[in-house]
Every structure is written in C-alpha cells, then in structure tokens.
Amino acid sequence: MKPLIVDTLASEKGTRLTTRDVIGAGPRTVAGVLEKHGMEPTIIPVEKFLRGKKENQSFDVILISGMTPDIPAMGKTIRKWRKGNKGSVIIGGPSSSEPERVLKRTGADIAIIGEGEKTLSELIELGALQGSMEGLNEVLGISHRNKKRVTINPMRPVQSREVFKEYQASTDTILGYELYKSARVYVEALRGCSNYNRARIGPIGENCTFCEQCTESGLTERYDCPVGIPPGCGYCSVPSLYGPPKSRPVELIIGEVRRLLELGVHRIVLSAPGFLDYGRELLVEPEPLT
Ligand code: SF4
C-alpha cells in the first residue's frame, strides 16, 4: 500500500503561498503512524499535488491535513484525487472540529477528530485504508460518510503522554517538501492547552449558569462543564480536541531535531499551543493541568 499525505495547512484555497515557508508537525506525525505499520508514506504540499498529473495516480490512499480555513484546498485536492484514483480519502487536523461540515464540504470518506495516533492505527487494522467500511461505527474519534449520510462517533479519550514514545514522528518524509532546507520546520514539543476557562458569552457560552466550576474548583473538576460548554478561549479548539497539556520527552525532541538537521533542515521551531506549559503538568499529576 502506497499512502500519500497532502499538507494543506494554512493554504486556504491551495494558492496562499505566502504561508508556505512554514512546515507544520501534523503531517509528519501521521506519517510516523503509517511507518510504524510498515508503510512508506510520501508527504507533499497541496500546491505540488494540485500541479501534479500522473505521478499522483501511483498512490493507493490519500490522507489530508488541514485547518478550517483550508477546507477549500482540501475539497480541491479530493476532487482531483477522485478523477485519477479510487482509494479512500481520510482527513484530519483542526478542520475536523466540525466533522459533519468538513465531510460534506470536501467529500472525504473519514475524518479523524482530535489526536490521531491510536485512531489511525485502528483504521489501518480494520482495513479502512483499503476502503473497508466494516467496524467503522466502533472506532472512537472519527466521523464517516456513506453517500450523503454522515455518522459521528463518540470522541476518543485524550491519549496519555506515553503516546509520544509509542509513535515517533517521521523525519525523512520532510524531503517531500521542496522548500524544506529554507522553511521553518515545526517539531512538536507539547500537545494540548491548560486554558480550561470557558467562553461565557456569545453563541458558545450563552447557557453558562455561572456556577464557577471552571474557575474556582479543583483541577479535575474544572475539566468538565455541567452544561457542556467546551474549554478554552471560545475561538480555538485545542483544549476540546487535544485535552490538557502533555509534554513530549526531551530526548525524543532532541532525536528528531538531530535527524532533521542531518537531512538539511536549517530552521527548527519547537511547537506548542502554549510553550510556558512545557513540563508543568508533571507538577500536578495525576490531576490534569487545567
Ligand atoms: S463550568 Fe460551565 S456553567 Fe459553570 S461557570 Fe464555567 S462555563 Fe459557566
């Protein structure tokens, strides 16, 4: 099986090239899961995919990473893929925070919601990359489409910090980016966010009862809101999709940076939703850093 990962991050319609000197960490995380399952994925940026012709047809399955503003580029990518390929289309990244909308607008088959390592592993084991729909209703953290009908499964609980050791981010797939030697390459240092305050006004927070559970109770109690208002600033889906902070072990970060430098990368950015959270969750464990 030859998987292709298309990186649409921050490309909007696939034409916003001013943002393309940044290479996010997400696509290489996905590639790492595929490599763990014995596959040899290729990553290419969306503009290269949209320019490509027959070379795109040699792949069996496509995985697309994107944010909500990139939904137009994701849709273009899928329309082009369907013209020359029969393989499944799986999407992920922050765009999946609105799973029904993203599946209907792009025409993808499956959206992975939130953290993807264990979910993608389960999909691989079920044969979903080969197009099998069997067992999809049991997979936590996905939504899937059957013609016009979209099914949204329950969320997967956030993964423990051990996931970073179990699934290593791919490094050599960086070579798929034409500009990797000059681009800023993001290396994941921390996932999740400690802001468990909630928006209490506007369409998201209008049901707030001002019980103050999210501001004045203990760290574990702050995790949930009795009326279901999602945590965070109100405009950002990081805490609701990725949970409270978990820091990636230093030795894994150093190993990844070393290999990227060997491959010719010159500019590294350690990525974190809030870098000052790094290591702080260790101070309050086993409670979550909310
Ligand atoms: S926990 Fe929910 S209902 Fe209570 S104050 Fe916070 S947002 Fe409002």
Side-chain angles (χ1 to χ4, degrees):
M1 156 135 309
K2 271 185 75 182
L4 175 65
I5 299 169
V6 175
D7 180 348
T8 69
L9 290 161
S11 71
E12 295 196 343
K13 294 177 184 161
T15 51
R16 188 165 176 248
L17 302 182
T18 49
T19 56
R20 308 305 277 162
D21 82 322
V22 169
I23 298 177
R28 288 191 300 105
T29 303
V30 174
V33 178
L34 298 171
E35 287 172 355
K36 185 175 163 73
H37 286 267
M39 295 178 228
E40 293 181 11
T42 300
I43 302 180
I44 61 172
V46 63
E47 58 273 16
K48 186 172 176 194
F49 178 83
L50 293 175
R51 274 199 321 262
K53 295 205 169 84
K54 292 218 158 126
E55 63 271 25
N56 293 338
Q57 293 174 6
S58 63
F59 295 97
D60 306 307
V61 59
I62 187 169
L63 300 99
I64 306 170
S65 184
M67 300 187 288
T68 305
D70 307 322
I71 288 176
M74 298 168 85
K76 268 191 201 173
T77 302
I78 293 169
R79 285 193 291 281
K80 178 156 185 162
W81 171 261
R82 300 262 193 234
K83 281 185 190 160
N85 303 68
K86 291 202 170 72
S88 303
V89 178
I90 300 175
I91 59 177
S95 62
S96 298
S97 62
E98 297 175 87
E100 180 157 7
R101 176 170 168 239
V102 75
L103 285 184
K104 285 189 170 161
R105 279 196 57 192
T106 63
D109 300 308
I110 298 173
I112 294 178
I113 308 164
E115 297 183 278
E117 287 94 339
K118 299 231 184 258
T119 307
L120 182 54
S121 278
E122 270 183 40
L123 291 174
I124 292 168
E125 282 155 19
L126 286 170
L129 273 62
Q130 284 90 347
S132 169
M133 304 287 280
E134 199 131 327
L136 288 189
N137 284 338
E138 312 306 320
V139 180
L140 297 176
I142 64 164
S143 63
H144 54 102
R145 192 176 59 83
N146 192 349
K147 297 194 177 140
K148 288 195 173 164
R149 203 170 127 249
V150 170
T151 305
I152 303 175
N153 294 358
M155 284 288 286
R156 181 175 295 274
V158 292
Q159 301 172 142
S160 75
R161 198 169 45 246
E162 292 307 303
V163 76
F164 291 129
K165 290 188 184 151
E166 211 178 317
Y167 296 90
Q168 311 275 347
S170 168
T171 47
D172 291 26
T173 44
I174 195 73
L175 303 179
Y177 293 91
E178 288 163 339
L179 298 177
Y180 75 93
K181 287 189 179 173
S182 57
R184 283 175 284 156
V185 175
Y186 278 58
V187 169
E188 186 175 33
L190 177 125
R191 189 179 296 176
C193 175
S194 62
N195 182 8
Y196 270 68
N197 291 321
R198 265 85 175 170
R200 304 210 218 167
I201 53 170
I204 294 176
E206 62 190 4
N207 293 329
C208 176
T209 60
F210 296 89
C211 69
E212 303 306 337
Q213 180 168 315
C214 65
T215 54
E216 293 177 7
S217 64
L219 292 173
T220 300
E221 291 73 30
R222 289 166 60 104
Y223 195 87
D224 293 307
C225 161
V227 294
I229 296 172
C233 302
Y235 57 85
C236 163
S237 56
V238 166
S240 49
L241 285 181
Y242 302 100
K246 52 178 172 272
S247 306
R248 201 161 163 234
V250 171
E251 63 276 12
L252 294 182
I253 299 172
I254 292 175
E256 185 177 335
V257 169
R258 283 217 168 103
R259 179 64 187 145
L260 290 170
L261 294 177
E262 279 167 17
L263 290 166
V265 171
H266 287 87
R267 302 164 77 200
I268 300 272
V269 179
L270 297 182
S271 114
F275 206 89
L276 294 179
D277 279 339
Y278 190 85
R280 284 178 66 222
E281 84 275 22
L282 301 174
L283 303 174
V284 299
E285 275 185 343
E287 291 208 275
L289 183 66
T290 51

